[in-house]
Amino acid sequence: MTVTPVDRDCPSRPRAEVSLLGHFAFRLPHGHVYLAPTTQKVLVLLAIHAHGLARGSAAALIWPHLPDGRSAASLRSALWRLSRAGGPCQVVVSDSEHLRLDRDVRVDLHTAHDLVRDLAAGRQAARPAAVPGCLRQDLLPDWSESWLLMVREHFRQTRLHALESCSRRLRASGHMDAAMEFAMAALEADPLRESAHRCVSEIHLAEGNVADALRFYDLYRRQLRDELGLAPTSGYRDLFAPFLRRPPDSVRGAAGYGA
């Protein structure tokens, strides 16, 4: 199937939107559109490969157990259904060998990647109003396609690093409440991530709340021990050295540290 590009300078051109974060959705200007599961997969595959794919590669990824001829036919059928669903919106640009999403299709994952790069590089307002919603969700967490797994993990790791980097910069600039919000967003995504726990403890210590920092450390230590049989790294424990006469794991008292 060949889709003929249309004039990109037309201001009235309707746009399609694809959501991949949290759950799949395909929207046109008039509302949500249902797509069959295989058509969803074609759209998602093209959305996560911004520069497009060879037709044969796309067919082999989505239908790995079919012969080449049958997988190619299945791809053509899915593309036809997608073009019908898109109506006046250009969704896919294709020729006999290559496929890609039309550049005017909005994909929330692409927006999130741009935001992650800005946060990681410090190109954001001195004090962001709140953690962006797109950085609180994984890429299609309920999907199990093998071609999606590494893309999901890459996005997860880059967004967690960006959240932590932003938290540290906000702490250094004295915006403790915003710093805590970004650190806690990273923890919500990965409750056992030590670097996120350290961000929270460092905020407590910067505010002079040593007891809160110790309490938070101890909660993490117990959780890590119970779930993985591991202990926090020495780098995390050493945060408390200036405040204690003994390692935090040996502190005992009303709060129950070290139990």
Side-chain angles (χ1 to χ4, degrees):
M1 181 189 73
T2 301
V3 181
T4 303
V6 299
D7 183 1
R8 298 186 184 283
D9 296 326
C10 177
S12 61
R13 182 183 180 189
R15 289 186 176 184
E17 298 182 5
V18 181
S19 294
L20 306 180
L21 302 179
H23 65 278
F24 173 84
F26 179 52
R27 288 181 294 274
L28 298 178
H30 63 268
H32 285 73
V33 176
Y34 171 78
L35 296 177
T38 53
T39 309
Q40 289 183 19
K41 291 178 183 179
V42 171
L43 187 54
V44 170
L45 184 65
L46 295 178
I48 66 176
H49 290 85
H51 299 293
L53 284 170
R55 279 178 169 267
S57 298
L61 286 169
I62 298 176
W63 295 278
H65 304 300
L66 292 182
D68 290 350
R70 288 185 59 191
S71 65
S74 296
L75 178 62
R76 288 193 298 271
S77 177
L79 289 170
W80 179 81
R81 291 194 297 271
L82 186 55
S83 68
R84 289 287 299 270
C89 292
Q90 181 88 351
V91 180
V92 175
V93 175
S94 68
D95 56 30
S96 61
E97 297 182 354
H98 194 259
L99 300 167
R100 65 168 173 82
L101 282 191
D102 185 86
R103 292 189 177 89
D104 282 341
V105 176
R106 296 172 178 169
V107 180
D108 60 352
L109 178 65
H110 301 172
T111 302
H113 274 306
D114 292 341
L115 181 57
V116 161
R117 283 191 289 269
D118 288 344
L119 288 175
R123 295 191 298 267
Q124 84 278 347
R127 180 179 177 176
V131 177
C134 63
L135 298 189
R136 292 185 179 273
Q137 301 185 80
D138 278 328
L139 169 62
L140 296 175
D142 296 330
W143 285 42
S144 58
E145 278 64 29
S146 59
W147 45 265
L148 191 65
L149 300 181
M150 289 304 296
V151 181
R152 177 190 296 143
E153 184 61 19
H154 177 262
F155 175 63
R156 179 174 173 274
Q157 291 298 329
T158 55
R159 75 183 176 93
L160 290 178
H161 278 105
L163 289 169
E164 292 170 0
S165 295
C166 192
S167 177
R168 286 190 291 268
R169 283 194 296 272
L170 288 164
R171 173 174 56 82
S173 62
H175 299 303
M176 300 302 181
D177 54 344
M180 183 66 78
E181 183 178 355
F182 275 78
M184 293 304 296
L187 271 184
E188 289 170 8
D190 188 348
L192 292 177
R193 187 176 174 88
E194 180 170 309
S195 53
H197 279 268
R198 286 185 63 170
C199 281
V200 174
S201 292
E202 287 166 349
I203 294 166
H204 284 313
L205 292 174
E207 293 182 305
N209 298 322
V210 179
D212 284 339
L214 278 168
R215 200 159 27 239
F216 196 78
Y217 168 85
D218 194 58
L219 287 172
Y220 173 65
R221 183 184 64 81
R222 291 168 183 267
Q223 185 180 15
L224 198 61
R225 179 195 63 195
D226 294 344
E227 296 191 23
L228 298 179
L230 299 174
T233 64
S234 59
Y236 193 0
R237 295 194 300 271
D238 289 347
L239 283 179
F240 304 97
F243 306 94
L244 301 172
R245 295 182 179 179
R246 67 184 81 185
D249 294 350
S250 65
V251 175
R252 297 180 184 275
Y257 301 121

